[in-house]
Amino acid sequence: MSTIETWISVVGSIASIGGAVWAFIEAGKAANSATKAESVKDEIIERRKLVEVSQVYSETSRILKVVSKVGPSCNQSLLRGVNCGTIAKDIEEYSRFINEHSSHFTDFFENKARELCEQLHPNIETLSEAKTFEDKKSAGKNIYYKINAFMPFVKQLSDEKKENVATN
């Protein structure tokens, strides 16, 4: 009887060892799957950020064209018939939009998007309330130059996000 018990014990030990090896292999596969899932999640997040930064770049280009109607190159004849209140409203919406996406522009304690929003607020009011050509042009130029100065930061971040997604 002891021979059967010995064989059963040996077979049981082999089965336990086999089960442990199988569990170890499956745990490795699960770890690899978790790592792949985390990698895919990170890539999805980076692609979403790229889309958002691209939208900010596109909106910045668009709003520069809108502001240029009252910007540095405008004159009295070009300004005739231009509704500065509508332009001010577009700039206000742009300011809200970039503030919403400002988390992408944080570099240590400096945030260029939030800075631009804060700088635009008084100019939006001035443009909206401007009556004379000089007031309209002055407010328009200030807004134009501030947004134009922000453009390189948007472009740089957009390029970095594109490169980051391309290397993943």
Side-chain angles (χ1 to χ4, degrees):
M1 228 12 164
S2 74
T3 310
I4 293 177
E5 290 174 359
T6 305
W7 278 106
I8 291 175
S9 178
V10 168
V11 169
S13 296
I14 291 172
S16 292
I17 292 170
V21 168
W22 180 76
F24 182 76
I25 291 169
E26 290 301 313
K29 288 178 184 177
N32 285 341
S33 293
T35 301
K36 287 179 184 175
E38 189 68 27
S39 175
V40 168
K41 177 186 146 209
D42 291 344
E43 185 174 340
I44 289 170
I45 290 169
E46 284 303 312
R47 288 185 187 272
R48 180 186 53 81
K49 288 178 182 178
L50 170 62
V51 167
E52 289 177 357
V53 170
S54 294
Q55 288 173 333
V56 172
Y57 178 75
S58 176
E59 274 299 296
T60 303
S61 294
R62 183 193 69 78
I63 203 69
L64 274 173
K65 290 175 187 161
V66 170
V67 175
S68 70
K69 294 175 186 173
V70 292
S73 64
C74 85
N75 59 42
Q76 278 187 318
S77 64
L78 292 174
L79 196 56
R80 206 170 295 125
V82 172
N83 186 337
C84 290
T86 302
I87 293 172
K89 184 71 175 161
D90 281 349
I91 297 164
E92 182 182 9
E93 290 172 11
Y94 168 75
S95 178
R96 188 174 38 253
F97 177 78
I98 63 169
N99 192 43
E100 180 182 327
H101 293 89
S102 65
S103 63
H104 299 299
F105 295 90
T106 302
D107 186 21
F108 298 100
F109 295 107
E110 186 177 20
N111 189 313
K112 297 292 185 186
R114 251 187 234 121
E115 285 177 21
L116 177 61
C117 288
E118 290 168 10
Q119 292 172 1
L120 287 176
H121 292 158
N123 296 120
I124 293 169
E125 291 175 29
T126 302
L127 180 62
S128 179
E129 296 168 359
K131 301 290 182 214
T132 68
F133 166 74
E134 290 78 17
D135 291 344
K136 292 174 183 179
K137 181 158 181 161
S138 176
K141 279 184 359 185
N142 285 333
I143 292 169
Y144 182 89
Y145 289 138
K146 288 173 183 173
I147 295 172
N148 195 45
F150 177 66
M151 182 60 105
F153 296 104
V154 178
K155 176 71 169 131
Q156 179 184 359
L157 185 59
S158 178
D159 290 347
E160 286 174 8
K161 294 290 181 191
K162 287 175 187 173
E163 290 168 8
N164 191 21
V165 169
T167 59
N168 283 342

